Amino acid sequence: MKNMKKRILVVDDEEGLRLLYKEEFEDEGWEVELAASGEESLEKLENEPIDLVLLDIKMPGMDGVEVLRRVKEKWKDLPVILCTAYPHYKHDFGTWASDAYVIKSSDLTELKQTVRDILGKKQ
Amino acid sequence: MEYDIIGKLAGLADSGIKPGVKLAMAAGFFLKAFAFDQSCLYIREGEGGGFTLRGSKGSGPKIKAYGINDGALRLVRGKAQPVEVYKAKGSDAVWNEDKGLKGFKYAVICPIRKGRELDGALYLKALERKRLDAKGRLRLKNAALQLTLLLRFAVAIKELEAAKEELKEARSALKDSEKLITLGDMAAALAHEIRNPLLSIGGFTARLKKHLGAEAPVGQYLERISLEVARLEKIMDGAFRFFKESSLELKPDDMNEIAGSALSPFEDELGVRGIELKKEFYGRRLPVLADREQIKIAFDNLIANAIQSMEKGGVLTMATALSGNSVLAKVADTGGGIDAKIMDKIFKPFFTTKGNGTGLGLTIAKTIVARHRGSVQVENRAGAGAVFTISLPYAGEKEGPAPPA
């Protein structure tokens, strides 16, 4: 059971942020997979067990809203946290299917708490 | 004294007469100078195009346009000299084919050239057979050359005019686009570009702090970086929250209700800070067309400023009123007022007197109210306090402001 760390897939086109999230969430005790685009994230989801998706909305190519739609179509119960710099997406119907909506901030406290709430206590 | 066609043409080229009129006049000069019955000037329209009648004088049939190989015009292709054509002199085929020569007995066709290209042709037609002598031919040749110069001059002027017009249009388009690039668009675009790198900087600074521990010698530097990043993020948030092209949703509303709902989140804070709240609301409904959430943001900023100006307590007065066709809402503080020196700057973006202010609060308030076709006025009571007044157009019945309760 010790090796059953929960695994987060971070989807963000910004390299710095991917790296930051990886380190921060690994410190939190999660395993972290990275995807630099919507397309890559779907590929990873097909091939690897993922417990939670942290999804940026504004990305070149397939955006987060579209990824969210496809994820919820295929893996209905997989939690998705939408994470974006843009508060106005909150009014976009497409984002309503997400399990949480977090405005990006350099202070990751809220985001980490949201992840803990969804995945349960740190293991 | 011989008719001075060269001088006439030269004078015409140099005149301010419209190009179209110039050509008709030039055609007339030729008619007079060489005693023909009709004169038609054809100009080539664009590269490889046909020839169009652009000026004529005299009576008889006129053809509106010739193709490059049509009629007698083709006789001057590749020629520098005028070509004479007679009826019934072996050139009958050409003569009969060229409907423009019908009824005439003699014609001279002058090529107008630009280098090897034929730019146009001048038809001079006579009802009777005649013949130009050597001197006459030379004169015609020179006049045709002068006409060529006149045409080139006209073309150059036309191109100049077109370029001027184009420039004018481009300028006006630029002006329009400049208007479209509002402060809001710029703020949103800038925020967009800066946001992600900023998060990286802040996030990694936090990690550095964590790794080095709070007591590390560089701890204070890292703390400074974190603070500045947080400040920048706050500014970005401000830019996002209000400047994004969120459309206004204007609905009939009551200014009393809006002001009340804007005030209520602050009421606890007022108590804590020892600020007395005075509400002086108008006794009746104050109908306005407003996007309540947006107007509340404007109030938020005014109330927050008022509270911050009264660090040692004071009185916050919130009042609403009807004045003519305007619905007014005042936020007054007793925080000592605004320094007269900065009065003209307070609505400017990024201007702030507070250490941690974004300098966007009043800009945002003013922008939001302006989008409602209203205004924000400030009244400074030096030494006492400031009064900010939001004014929105009254949106009730024209006759009387108050419907019977």
Side-chain angles (χ1 to χ4, degrees):
Chain A
M1 291 297 277
K2 263 184 190 162
N3 289 330
M4 290 299 287
K5 271 190 184 176
K6 295 249 170 104
R7 192 186 276 222
I8 303 172
L9 175 63
V10 172
V11 191
D12 200 308
D13 60 315
E14 193 82 16
E15 196 189 352
L17 290 183
R18 285 199 302 275
L19 195 63
L20 177 67
Y21 289 151
K22 183 175 166 65
E23 298 207 351
E24 286 286 326
F25 286 115
E26 282 176 354
D27 281 4
E28 289 277 296
W30 314 114
E31 261 184 34
V32 180
E33 281 291 327
L34 301 176
S37 69
E39 290 81 353
E40 193 187 341
S41 73
L42 292 174
E43 211 180 289
K44 286 237 156 121
L45 283 166
E46 289 286 351
N47 301 316
E48 288 168 52
I50 299 290
D51 299 294
L52 182 142
V53 182
L54 193 64
L55 186 57
D56 183 27
I57 292 186
K58 206 167 156 70
M59 293 182 288
M62 192 188 295
D63 71 3
V65 176
E66 177 62 18
V67 175
L68 174 68
R69 195 183 64 74
R70 296 195 189 196
V71 167
K72 287 294 178 183
E73 225 171 65
K74 202 154 185 182
W75 302 279
K76 192 159 65 60
D77 299 321
L78 177 61
V80 178
I81 300 175
L82 279 176
C83 194
T84 179
Y86 305 87
H88 56 270
Y89 276 112
K90 235 173 188 164
H91 306 294
D92 186 330
F93 287 120
T95 68
W96 291 8
S98 68
D99 297 81
Y101 189 104
V102 176
I103 310 285
K104 278 183 177 177
S105 161
S106 67
D107 181 357
L108 297 178
T109 316
E110 186 195 349
L111 181 59
K112 287 188 216 166
Q113 186 57 49
T114 308
V115 171
R116 275 198 293 271
D117 289 347
I118 292 175
L119 290 183
K121 288 266 175 265
K122 205 165 148 182
Q123 294 159 36
Chain B
M1 185 73 199
E2 201 175 62
Y3 185 81
D4 179 19
I5 182 158
I6 305 288
K8 285 262 182 192
L9 287 169
L12 193 57
D14 199 28
S15 73
I17 296 167
K18 279 185 185 170
V21 179
K22 268 186 191 174
L23 298 182
M25 285 174 74
F29 294 161
F30 276 91
L31 200 69
K32 209 169 165 192
F34 300 98
F36 278 84
D37 297 300
Q38 193 203 75
S39 160
C40 289
L41 180 55
Y42 293 91
I43 306 292
R44 190 168 192 169
E45 305 289 343
E47 291 287 313
F51 296 80
T52 310
L53 182 64
R54 297 295 298 272
S56 68
K57 196 90 184 184
S59 53
K62 288 167 197 168
I63 300 287
K64 280 239 162 67
Y66 285 97
I68 187 88
N69 288 318
D70 285 355
L73 196 142
R74 71 164 181 261
L75 300 177
V76 294
R77 274 175 57 197
K79 295 243 166 59
Q81 308 273 351
V83 173
E84 285 175 281
V85 203
Y86 301 89
K87 185 173 163 62
K89 200 206 164 191
S91 56
D92 260 353
V94 171
W95 193 274
N96 291 334
E97 184 195 314
D98 197 328
K99 299 285 182 280
L101 298 176
K102 204 174 169 201
F104 295 100
K105 292 212 170 112
Y106 171 69
V108 179
I109 298 143
C110 306
I112 296 163
R113 326 197 60 88
K114 185 170 78 188
R116 287 167 57 197
E117 284 287 308
L118 193 61
D119 256 1
L122 177 71
Y123 271 67
L124 295 171
K125 308 171 195 174
L127 292 167
E128 295 304 324
R129 270 183 82 153
K130 59 186 272 177
R131 201 179 164 80
L132 288 175
D133 57 14
K135 202 183 150 206
R137 282 166 191 249
L138 184 65
R139 210 167 137 238
L140 181 58
K141 192 187 156 193
N142 286 336
L145 265 174
Q146 188 65 44
L147 180 62
T148 305
L149 291 179
L150 183 147
L151 283 173
R152 290 208 196 142
F153 205 69
V155 167
I157 287 173
K158 209 172 145 192
E159 281 172 359
L160 197 66
E161 295 288 339
K164 251 166 133 181
E165 197 56 37
E166 223 171 89
L167 193 66
K168 214 168 123 192
E169 275 168 29
R171 271 208 193 118
S172 119
L174 189 67
K175 233 176 170 176
D176 285 346
S177 68
E178 271 168 358
K179 273 186 219 147
L180 291 176
I181 304 170
T182 60
L183 172 67
D185 295 330
M186 275 169 54
L190 202 65
H192 169 136
E193 292 304 323
I194 291 176
R195 189 78 189 234
N196 281 336
L198 201 56
L199 298 188
S200 264
I201 295 170
F204 283 110
T205 307
R207 287 196 64 72
L208 260 179
K209 277 199 285 191
K210 200 154 93 186
H211 278 285
L212 295 172
E215 301 311 314
V218 294
Q220 53 173 325
Y221 303 155
L222 295 176
E223 190 54 36
R224 174 51 61 186
I225 295 173
S226 288
L227 281 174
E228 299 293 4
V229 167
R231 186 153 73 104
L232 282 173
E233 276 185 62
K234 206 165 137 194
I235 295 173
M236 297 296 130
D237 278 341
F240 263 130
R241 229 178 116 197
F242 315 112
F243 284 136
K244 196 59 199 158
E245 66 268 79
S246 61
S247 53
L248 279 190
E249 279 182 49
L250 295 179
K251 286 182 190 144
D253 209 328
D254 174 9
M255 187 58 120
N256 285 334
E257 274 187 41
I258 304 174
S261 68
L263 195 54
S264 63
F266 289 98
E267 287 189 22
D268 287 345
E269 194 182 344
L270 291 170
V272 171
R273 288 172 179 255
I275 296 169
E276 188 194 333
L277 173 62
K278 270 196 199 164
K279 282 196 230 179
E280 296 170 2
F281 282 9
Y282 191 67
R284 292 172 177 149
R285 250 181 79 81
L286 287 172
V288 287
L289 278 178
D291 185 323
R292 184 184 284 211
E293 288 312 308
Q294 294 266 312
I295 293 291
K296 268 170 74 178
I297 288 167
F299 274 119
D300 270 2
N301 286 314
L302 298 184
I303 296 168
N305 279 351
I307 291 174
Q308 282 168 26
S309 77
M310 297 183 283
E311 278 179 342
K312 292 172 188 148
V315 181
L316 176 79
T317 309
M318 188 104 168
T320 58
L322 184 70
S323 166
N325 279 323
S326 298
V327 170
L328 308 179
K330 288 176 194 276
V331 179
D333 63 59
T334 56
I338 300 159
D339 189 343
K341 278 181 277 184
I342 61 163
M343 276 298 278
D344 57 335
K345 295 195 190 104
I346 58 170
F347 287 106
K348 293 207 166 124
F350 307 116
F351 176 79
T352 182
T353 56
K354 302 165 200 158
N356 64 344
T358 65
L360 286 172
L362 286 178
T363 312
I364 286 160
K366 193 175 179 170
T367 306
I368 289 172
V369 175
R371 289 178 73 197
H372 283 78
R373 300 179 181 281
S375 66
V376 180
Q377 306 287 337
V378 57
E379 192 188 314
N380 199 26
R381 296 168 300 164
V387 186
F388 283 86
T389 305
I390 291 179
S391 166
L392 291 183
Y394 173 75
E397 297 293 324
K398 274 263 156 64
E399 287 73 31

